[in-house]
Amino acid sequence: MKKRSPSRIRILAAILLCVPACFPQSRPNIQRSAPARPRPPFLQQATVFEETSSVPYVTKLVLQNGLTILVEEFKSKPVVSIQTYIRVGSLNESPQNRGAARLIPSLVCRKPVDKIAGALEQNIYALGGLLRSTVGYENTRFEIVAPSAQWKRALNLQAEALRNPSFETGDWTPEAKLLVNEAWSALDDPEELSREKLLELAYEPVRMEKNGDIAEGGWQGLKSDDLAGFFKTFYVPSKMTVVLSGDVIASEVLNEIVRTYGKFASATKAEPALPKASPAGFRYRLLRGDVSVPQVLFGFRATPENASDSRALEVLRAVLGLGEGSALNFRLRDQDHLIWSEDTGIFGSRNFKCFLIRAEMDPKDIDRAQIAVLTEIELLKRQEPEAAEVARAVAQLELEYWKHLDTVTGRAESLAQYDALGDWKGRDRYVSDMKKVSPADITRAARKYLRIENLALIELLPAEGLEQRNPTAEGIRSTLEGLLSPATDQVQEKREKETLPYLKIPKDSGGFKFSEVQNSFQVASILRGPEMYIREDHTAPVLTMGFFFAGGKFAENNNNAGLTKLMTDLIARGTPDMQAGRFYQQLEVYGGKIEPVVTDDYFGFNFSILSGNFEAGFDLLRQAVKSPVFSKEDVGRQKEMQIREIRRRKASQANALDLENAALFQGFSYSRNTLGTEDSLAGFTPNTLEEWYREYIRNRKPFVVIIGDTRGTSLAAQFVKEFSGSRMQDSKIPETWVKALSAGESVEQRWKDNQSMILVGFQAPPVDDEDAYTVAALEELAGNSSSLSQEIRYKLGAADRVSVVYEPRLRGGSLIVAATTRPGNEEAVLKAVRDELLRIAAGPVSYKDCRSAIVAAVGMYGILNEERTDEVHHVVSNLLAGKGISGFQNYPASVQSVTETDLTEIAQRIFDMKKAVIVKMHGRSN
């Protein structure tokens, strides 16, 4: 047979393959569809599924059992916030279960995951995270912030703790007693006390008193069955929203939440209706407390009827009190000297909203200041605010908004807030919505909501003095109504004659582009000028800058203590040609903010601004730093304000820390706080300040750290003209060190707080010491991650709050244990602290405990650096210590190299009770 060639075989094969295409087929070609893929588990249980199309991606899911889930993929930092909201609060309590809403979250945080594990709090710290819980009037929140790699474990810990807390009497009664102590501690805070009393007054007969009710034993009579019933009614999926923001993949998170929270039981009975407030009317109450100067609180019942009203009230709040250039600060504090300080806010829950104004003043000015605050409101009702006023207010709200979104906590909070309002995508429209508010909208909102008949007024006066002041509600109202109109006429006539300063309103650039890329610091060196450290961060159209000088407070002594603080505050007031508020008003129109900063080792300014306006805003800061004003009048007024701060500090818990530092750092600059004393301030004159300025600022190279919406090191050019040249000198701190204590000391005092406070302090390594990394892990081992809190709070029930804080400074550090307890229990707490510290020092530290402490230290470092100002602080501390930017970047690796032996050795050196400084502040009997 003739053999066919390979080429002919290929041709024949090709023809045969083509035959079926050329002739009709006897059997049809059946198209089989691919097998259907199963839907993801989370979609199988979903009734609502929505997602955004823009970065960062947000997904909303509502399950068949009613659980709402919001997940945001925010990959800028390796951190995650897991928040579970339950629509229940103190207003849902009945007389039979009084205290249940506040007690159940404490029991959840107390619950161990198994019989041998610590409380939930300790398990979260071992993941490198932290645990928070808050109880409001209509809402309860649980939050875990942790490294994003641990999101699944953290989510499961939270879900497990929430599922079945123990309501056996032996488990919850110790926590109830600690809850009483926490309530007394809260009432020691004048702001917390006065706000609670204001809301109580405004919404009578609705029971808005949270801490006072618990402190007076409001939970007594509560039974285990009451707690269990309350839990089964409210802790159900239909009343829960789980919000997660961070470096995660949404589909994985949704599947896990469905798996864990899908096990929760449904509601067993209907929820009781909330109480109703009585009709509006003017209300007044006088309180006396441990305050250094009188405080007056104005609370206008102002539940917005629609979204437009809500936006207008936000801008109205900013016009009146947000920023140094606001009406209350500029007019009443700086021009008329009627108030010392103010703040405005909007307290909000679903059914109760209140427009709040707080003002501090001299005793002699109480009546005039009240009329003056109401006059500013009345002027807004009569005449629409100027366009520049509105632009300044909106720019400050925008800056506030973006800074809140710096952290995963803030991002998750805002998502939950907008979802509760029925508009979960509204967060991304916040800035554009605020920019739509017109001057007419502000005037309309002021007329509609800020009325005398809608006002609750609280006067909080010092416990001693002003005994003759005892007005009635009717007397106060008639006085306000009789004086308000003529006072407004007078001020309006005066201001019509004023020439308002010209304020440049910048155009909206609209050029911001969000990016999740994580950039490292770059160094920009300026010839004969400062080295600048710049990190691009395009998660917000904001630039944050630390502008600091070494020394200052470090060189102070007993005679000039507080001088650096006074100088820094005065510099921040502006330049000679921009007085009368124009400096701050123009800066705030740009969306800028200056915060004077004085630490133990450096001082200067935190500067934040909307990135499109950095050049114009920085020019204002540059002028203020290069051409400060120290007039006699300004110095005198600022001294008076600093003295008020000194007196307030002496009446606060910060006074205990001052006593501790005074004994730990005897004679060294660290022994004094930044405010100084009334005696030291008395000797300061404009010449004193000018000499201090020449020594520590003029011709000194600053430390500059910038984080934000910039490109590379392009901003370095802004610093060449004024901060470089042959005249510029390096800022250095003298090579003097804290002297080691030869023996410990005990300080004992009584104060007016309801709670007692115990501090046990030790000297510790400075920031540049290699042992600093070991002490950072020891801080977590002794405090947050297990030992002290576990032993003293959860096992002994001796203290409601226990903390351990390591504060490394340039020339010496401190490690301080602090605990609050009820009066009469001080010695028991002190003994428990001593015993636990000695147990740690005796060792050995197990491998597990060592690793947990290291993970906690590294995790907390990452969480703290979410805040840009904290990140700047850590960079500057490393620069001053000579570690450079690598010291900041390598911190986690340095802590991770700590061993069990290192921890035991450093604990034995630090926890020497013979050299401990013990401060006991005895509270008054409840």
Side-chain angles (χ1 to χ4, degrees):
M1 179 181 285
K2 187 177 181 180
K3 202 171 185 179
R4 291 189 179 98
S5 67
S7 61
R8 292 179 67 186
I9 292 173
R10 285 195 294 270
I11 293 171
L12 179 61
I15 293 173
L16 291 173
L17 287 171
C18 291
V19 168
C22 300
F23 297 95
Q25 303 296 303
S26 59
R27 295 174 62 187
N29 186 16
I30 300 173
Q31 297 289 331
R32 287 185 172 87
S33 59
R37 294 182 179 180
R39 301 173 75 199
F42 67 84
L43 284 180
Q44 294 177 28
Q45 298 190 35
T47 60
V48 174
F49 176 72
E50 299 178 77
E51 54 188 348
T52 58
S53 57
S54 59
V55 179
Y57 298 110
V58 182
T59 304
K60 178 176 180 178
L61 192 71
V62 180
L63 303 184
Q64 294 168 3
N65 63 7
L67 179 73
T68 300
I69 307 167
L70 291 161
V71 179
E72 178 183 41
E73 296 184 5
F74 182 65
K75 300 180 181 297
S76 178
K77 294 174 183 176
V79 184
V80 64
S81 170
I82 304 168
Q83 300 183 15
T84 298
Y85 290 81
I86 298 97
R87 291 186 291 280
V88 61
S90 60
L91 290 179
N92 297 101
E93 296 171 348
S94 66
Q96 289 73 34
N97 55 33
R98 185 71 50 84
R102 283 150 289 181
L103 183 55
I104 289 174
S106 297
L107 297 177
V108 169
C109 296
R110 184 187 184 93
K111 179 184 178 182
V113 263
D114 55 53
K115 291 183 179 179
I116 61 173
L120 174 64
E121 187 175 28
Q122 277 67 48
N123 284 279
I124 297 302
Y125 279 124
L127 297 180
L130 57 86
L131 174 70
R132 302 185 182 108
S133 67
T134 57
V135 181
Y137 291 100
E138 298 180 76
N139 204 49
T140 297
R141 182 190 71 154
F142 296 89
E143 181 189 27
I144 296 173
V145 185
S148 52
Q150 298 286 355
W151 73 264
K152 186 177 289 187
R153 176 64 175 152
L155 177 68
N156 278 274
L157 283 170
Q158 187 180 79
E160 174 61 28
L162 279 168
R163 189 157 33 245
N164 291 306
S166 171
F167 299 120
E168 294 182 11
T169 304
D171 290 335
W172 68 263
T173 50
E175 196 63 36
K177 293 177 181 177
L178 291 173
L179 192 65
V180 172
N181 294 345
E182 289 180 359
W184 282 115
S185 292
L187 295 176
D188 285 331
D189 181 351
E191 293 189 5
E192 181 69 24
L193 169 68
S194 56
R195 189 181 73 163
E196 181 172 302
K197 294 298 183 183
L198 177 71
L199 295 174
E200 180 188 357
L201 177 66
Y203 294 106
E204 261 180 339
V206 178
R207 186 175 49 81
M208 305 293 283
E209 186 181 29
K210 293 192 305 180
N211 293 305
D213 191 25
I214 290 296
E216 298 294 343
W219 64 273
Q220 293 183 10
L222 193 64
K223 297 180 176 62
S224 294
D225 289 345
D226 299 327
L227 281 170
F230 192 87
F231 180 83
K232 289 177 182 179
T233 300
F234 293 101
Y235 280 66
V236 293
S238 59
K239 295 187 71 63
M240 289 184 177
T241 300
V242 180
V243 188
L244 192 147
S245 176
D247 186 10
V248 295
I249 297 173
S251 59
E252 294 179 358
V253 172
L254 292 170
N255 283 332
E256 191 65 18
I257 294 177
V258 169
R259 188 186 70 80
T260 55
Y261 281 79
K263 302 174 184 177
F264 279 61
S266 299
T268 58
K269 57 182 180 181
E271 138 189 12
L274 289 177
K276 300 290 185 181
S278 59
F282 176 81
R283 299 170 186 178
Y284 166 80
R285 183 174 297 166
L286 186 148
L287 302 174
R288 294 192 179 272
D290 191 19
V291 291
S292 55
V293 294
Q295 295 183 14
V296 175
L297 276 81
F298 304 80
F300 295 91
R301 292 176 289 273
T303 302
E305 294 180 1
N306 51 56
S308 177
D309 284 359
S310 180
R311 292 192 293 267
L313 281 169
E314 279 283 339
V315 181
L316 175 57
R317 170 182 78 89
V319 167
L320 282 171
L322 182 59
E324 301 298 313
S326 63
L328 297 180
N329 276 325
F330 170 46
R331 295 292 189 180
L332 305 193
R333 186 193 64 189
D334 298 337
Q335 275 194 339
D336 300 335
H337 297 176
L338 281 175
I339 64 174
W340 292 106
S341 66
E342 64 78 31
D343 65 80
T344 58
I346 299 176
F347 162 81
S349 64
R350 289 189 302 279
N351 295 287
F352 303 95
K353 288 188 184 293
C354 199
F355 191 102
L356 300 174
I357 302 173
R358 180 192 304 274
E360 291 185 321
M361 62 213 61
D362 262 345
K364 62 178 173 39
D365 292 327
I366 295 176
D367 294 322
R368 292 176 58 214
Q370 288 181 25
I371 290 293
V373 169
L374 294 174
T375 296
E376 293 301 322
I377 295 172
E378 200 65 23
L379 288 169
L380 288 171
K381 294 179 184 179
R382 292 189 181 186
Q383 187 173 345
E384 295 175 7
E386 298 289 332
E389 289 182 81
V390 179
R392 186 205 65 80
V394 170
Q396 288 302 292
L397 287 171
E398 182 178 359
L399 180 66
E400 187 179 67
Y401 165 80
W402 288 115
K403 291 181 77 172
H404 186 61
L405 296 189
D406 259 354
T407 67
V408 289
T409 292
R411 303 188 76 89
E413 280 178 349
S414 59
L415 275 174
Q417 175 188 354
Y418 277 90
D419 183 64
L421 295 172
D423 183 18
W424 69 278
K425 295 181 181 179
R427 183 186 72 176
D428 296 334
R429 298 194 306 272
Y430 177 86
V431 174
S432 60
D433 285 349
M434 291 304 113
K435 290 180 179 179
K436 294 175 183 177
V437 175
S438 68
D441 292 331
I442 295 170
T443 294
R444 175 180 52 80
R447 290 171 178 170
K448 187 174 182 180
Y449 296 103
L450 307 193
R451 295 173 290 122
I452 293 288
E453 59 269 27
N454 232 16
L455 173 63
L457 183 67
I458 290 278
E459 292 181 356
L460 177 57
L461 307 182
E464 299 176 358
L466 298 171
E467 287 83 1
Q468 74 284 359
R469 186 173 182 82
N470 191 25
T472 63
E474 187 56 39
I476 287 284
R477 175 170 184 163
S478 62
T479 299
L480 294 178
E481 290 179 335
L483 295 178
L484 185 55
S485 182
T488 306
D489 291 340
Q490 184 179 2
V491 174
Q492 186 174 19
E493 182 181 357
K494 177 183 176 182
R495 292 187 188 174
E496 285 174 351
K497 299 175 182 178
E498 290 181 345
T499 302
L500 294 175
Y502 169 74
L503 298 177
K504 181 180 179 181
I505 302 176
K507 294 182 179 179
D508 189 354
S509 61
F512 170 66
K513 292 183 179 180
F514 177 88
S515 172
E516 292 179 321
V517 175
Q518 299 181 49
N519 297 286
S520 300
F521 276 97
Q522 299 182 60
V523 181
S525 297
I526 300 174
L527 182 64
R528 298 190 184 92
E531 283 193 341
M532 300 174 57
Y533 299 83
I534 303 174
R535 185 174 71 79
E536 286 189 50
D537 185 330
H538 300 290
T539 55
V542 173
L543 275 165
T544 300
M545 180 177 72
F547 188 88
F548 299 116
F549 300 89
K553 175 183 178 294
F554 194 93
E556 292 177 358
N557 54 48
N558 289 336
N559 294 325
N560 63 4
L563 183 54
T564 306
K565 166 71 173 169
L566 183 64
M567 175 185 69
T568 309
D569 286 348
L570 284 165
I571 289 173
R573 302 305 302 169
T575 58
D577 59 337
M578 296 194 74
Q579 291 299 292
R582 184 182 165 219
F583 172 81
Y584 265 115
Q585 288 172 345
Q586 181 62 78
L587 176 67
E588 290 173 0
V589 166
Y590 292 141
K593 183 177 183 179
I594 298 175
E595 297 175 294
V597 175
V598 179
T599 74
D600 285 319
D601 298 317
Y602 63 88
F603 69 97
F605 310 93
N606 284 329
F607 177 63
S608 301
I609 194 166
L610 299 177
S611 52
N613 302 326
F614 176 81
E615 186 174 345
F618 177 69
D619 189 56
L620 292 174
L621 174 63
R622 177 188 58 78
Q623 293 177 49
V625 173
K626 300 301 289 187
S627 306
V629 178
F630 301 124
S631 70
K632 184 176 181 180
E633 180 183 2
D634 289 344
V635 171
R637 177 65 175 173
Q638 198 64 40
K639 282 166 61 175
E640 289 180 351
M641 295 182 72
Q642 195 158 318
I643 287 171
R644 301 293 175 187
E645 289 297 315
I646 291 170
R647 293 174 181 173
R648 182 184 291 108
R649 187 176 179 91
K650 283 184 177 180
S652 72
Q653 291 190 355
N655 185 47
L657 183 61
D658 290 343
L659 295 171
E660 181 73 41
N661 287 332
L664 279 175
F665 305 113
Q666 296 172 6
F668 203 78
S669 64
Y670 299 161
S671 66
R672 297 178 291 272
N673 67 50
T674 60
L675 294 170
T677 66
E678 293 189 41
D679 289 339
S680 64
L681 262 65
F684 298 159
T685 66
N687 287 337
T688 312
L689 289 157
E690 288 168 3
E691 291 173 4
W692 202 249
Y693 172 82
R694 286 194 296 269
E695 179 69 21
Y696 291 101
I697 294 184
R698 180 170 291 168
N699 298 333
R700 295 284 182 180
K701 294 179 185 177
F703 292 87
V704 181
V705 181
I706 298 176
I707 302 172
D709 185 34
T710 183
R711 297 294 174 187
T713 58
S714 59
L715 293 179
Q718 303 291 330
F719 293 80
V720 172
K721 181 178 179 181
E722 297 288 355
F723 300 102
S724 66
S726 58
R727 69 190 186 283
M728 302 302 291
Q729 305 172 39
D730 289 324
S731 296
K732 293 183 178 180
I733 292 179
E735 295 284 334
T736 57
W737 300 84
V738 172
K739 293 181 179 179
L741 288 177
S742 57
E745 185 177 342
S746 183
V747 180
E748 200 162 353
Q749 289 189 5
R750 293 195 174 274
W751 62 0
K752 295 180 180 179
D753 278 15
N754 294 295
Q755 288 284 79
S756 294
M757 190 171 186
I758 308 297
L759 275 69
V760 182
F762 306 88
Q763 289 184 343
V767 68
D768 64 343
D769 195 310
E770 286 301 309
D771 284 339
Y773 304 113
T774 306
V775 183
L778 179 64
E779 174 187 15
E780 301 299 329
L781 175 71
N784 295 330
S785 64
S786 64
S787 299
L788 278 168
S789 186
Q790 181 76 2
E791 291 295 321
I792 298 174
R793 178 187 169 90
Y794 293 111
K795 288 187 179 180
L796 296 178
D800 55 291
R801 286 183 294 178
V802 184
S803 66
V804 180
V805 176
Y806 170 44
E807 186 70 39
R809 301 169 178 83
L810 197 60
R811 297 292 184 250
S814 62
L815 191 147
I816 299 174
V817 181
T820 57
T821 186
R822 60 185 179 274
N825 207 31
E826 297 88 350
E827 292 305 320
V829 170
L830 179 57
K831 182 181 183 303
V833 170
R834 276 200 188 108
D835 291 347
E836 189 57 27
L837 296 180
L838 291 174
R839 185 195 66 79
I840 295 170
V845 175
S846 70
Y847 175 80
K848 178 184 177 181
D849 287 345
C850 176
R851 295 312 305 171
S852 294
I854 289 171
V855 169
V858 172
M860 287 302 299
Y861 190 72
I863 292 170
L864 287 173
N865 284 326
E866 279 193 283
E867 294 274 2
R868 294 184 181 186
T869 51
D870 284 333
E871 187 175 358
V872 167
H873 165 75
H874 288 133
V875 171
V876 172
S877 295
N878 279 278
L879 297 178
L880 280 169
K883 293 183 176 183
I885 196 67
S886 62
F888 168 78
Q889 294 168 333
N890 297 335
Y891 180 90
S894 299
V895 175
Q896 287 168 347
S897 67
V898 172
T899 66
E900 304 96 289
T901 302
D902 295 334
L903 278 170
T904 298
E905 290 178 353
I906 200 71
Q908 289 173 349
R909 292 209 306 270
I910 291 179
F911 295 152
D912 182 353
M913 297 307 299
K914 293 180 181 178
K915 296 181 181 180
V917 172
I918 299 170
V919 174
K920 288 186 277 188
M921 305 295 291
H922 296 281
R924 61 190 176 192
S925 173
N926 293 340

